[in-house]
Amino acid sequence: MAKLIDGKAVSASVRAQVAQEVAAMKEKGVTPGLAVVIVGDDPASRTYVNNKKKACAETGIYSEEYALPASTTQEELLELVRTLNGKPDIHGILVQSPLPKGLDEEAVIEEINPQKDVDAFHLQNVGRIMIGNFHFLPCTPAGVIELIRSQGIEIAGKSCVVIGRSNIVGKPMAMLLLHNNGTVTICHSKTKNLAAICREADILVAAVGRPKFVTEDMVKPGAVVIDVGMDRDENGKLCGDVDFAHVEPKAGYITPVPGGVGPMTIAMLLRNTITAAKLQSGLKD
Ligand code: GUN
């Protein structure tokens, strides 16, 4: 039986730390501020944005929402980002992804002041992560590292396998595990002998976006299994990239879906917003 890694509990403790830190910053005259931009009416994006605003309110972070119609032009969106770059009460800017068709997401991200890029998606921040000289870490991979650490699990020297190579999760996840001295393999749709490679993993991170993709035969007994997936099974029920029912008896640690990695992403966003506010106001840790 695996030990369940409770993302809600770990996230609650990070949020409590954030709330304390925000209160201390306010005493020094700085209120961290986050602007969340949502374009169009994607229901999943709406839920994510509402959760982000709620988390800000609960921890004392000032937030502003900019909800734009799907008909917004590239130039209008770039102009909004420029305005937010110039707002002194806004330290973090998050443009919710995906953007409606026709809008160039990469160009929008590049317009964000890198010091306000709390997603760490800007090329400058991606480069900083690559060389290990970063201000912000991307929220989901940072949340995964926090979950692993919360269990007292050592990453150094461990065999780590990441399934998935997206810019948002897979690639930065691999870099963060490497920074923590893991020995890292990235697997993807063209990988041969996937199951055999995964079976070597002491720490297995699934970020493929396919329901129940990781089966019991892909897991080493006692492995740490982290599920970044947010999928729907054949009955439309929320599930992850890991076949939880069959993998759980074999793993040493496992994250559930929901209640694993998901709650950590927002907690890390709050932390990045604090970092951004310190960076821009000159406040020290
Ligand atoms: N859409 C889904 N996850 C994210 C995220 O972490 N940041 C942004 N900006 N958009 C998202």
Side-chain angles (χ1 to χ4, degrees):
M1 280 274 279
K3 175 150 192 269
L4 212 60
I5 306 181
D6 182 349
K8 278 195 212 157
V10 182
S11 144
S13 107
V14 173
R15 285 177 197 222
Q17 282 168 14
V18 165
Q20 267 188 7
E21 205 160 343
V22 170
M25 291 173 77
K26 284 182 176 172
E27 284 190 8
K28 294 177 189 159
V30 178
T31 301
L34 175 71
V36 183
V37 180
I38 177 170
V39 188
D41 45 18
D42 177 58
S45 290
R46 172 41 64 199
T47 305
Y48 288 134
V49 166
N50 287 348
N51 289 341
K52 287 168 185 174
K53 283 187 337 192
K54 187 161 165 265
C56 283
E58 283 167 4
T59 49
I61 292 176
Y62 169 68
S63 75
E64 290 179 352
E65 179 188 302
Y66 294 83
L68 306 180
S71 58
T72 302
T73 65
Q74 181 76 14
E75 188 46 39
E76 284 166 341
L77 187 51
L78 291 175
E79 191 47 40
L80 172 60
V81 170
R82 286 182 208 118
T83 303
L84 295 172
N85 281 342
K87 279 192 89 180
D89 57 341
I90 292 297
H91 306 99
I93 303 171
L94 182 145
V95 180
Q96 187 66 27
S97 154
L99 290 175
K101 280 199 179 62
L103 292 173
D104 179 350
E105 200 160 309
E106 202 176 320
V108 173
I109 290 166
E110 288 318 297
E111 199 68 27
I112 297 173
N113 172 352
Q115 292 204 349
K116 295 194 176 189
D117 169 38
V118 283
D119 269 321
F121 290 168
H122 190 285
L123 291 178
Q124 203 182 101
N125 288 321
V126 173
R128 282 181 171 279
I129 291 159
M130 193 76 183
I131 59 172
N133 170 21
F134 44 77
H135 303 302
F136 312 110
L137 293 175
C139 301
T140 300
V144 169
I145 297 288
E146 196 75 23
L147 282 180
I148 295 172
R149 286 215 188 110
S150 74
Q151 305 301 306
I153 297 163
E154 179 74 68
I155 299 173
K158 294 278 168 64
S159 164
C160 305
V161 173
V162 178
I163 320 175
R165 55 174 158 180
S166 71
N167 289 332
I168 296 185
V169 183
K171 286 182 205 167
M173 187 71 250
M175 286 310 301
L176 298 201
L177 289 164
L178 182 61
H179 287 318
N180 282 274
N181 299 312
T183 302
V184 185
T185 305
I186 306 177
C187 296
H188 47 78
S189 55
K190 301 282 191 295
T191 298
K192 295 202 168 70
N193 304 321
L194 178 70
I197 295 170
C198 291
R199 269 198 304 274
E200 293 294 313
D202 301 310
I203 298 174
L204 180 62
V205 181
V208 249
R210 287 170 62 178
K212 303 183 187 178
F213 180 81
V214 174
T215 45
E216 170 252 332
D217 59 304
M218 296 164 74
V219 174
K220 178 178 177 170
V224 179
V225 179
I226 306 286
D227 191 346
V228 182
M230 194 61 95
D231 314 308
R232 297 270 164 192
D233 70 8
E234 60 281 7
N235 303 313
K237 191 167 168 269
L238 193 63
C239 72
D241 290 350
V242 176
D243 181 357
F244 187 92
H246 295 104
V247 169
E248 188 269 341
K250 198 172 178 185
Y253 293 83
I254 192 165
T255 61
V257 175
V261 175
M264 293 305 292
T265 300
I266 294 184
M268 296 298 117
L269 171 69
L270 302 174
R271 212 183 241 177
N272 281 351
T273 305
I274 288 185
T275 304
K278 284 185 180 165
L279 208 57
Q280 289 155 56
S281 66
L283 269 189
K284 294 276 179 295
D285 279 324

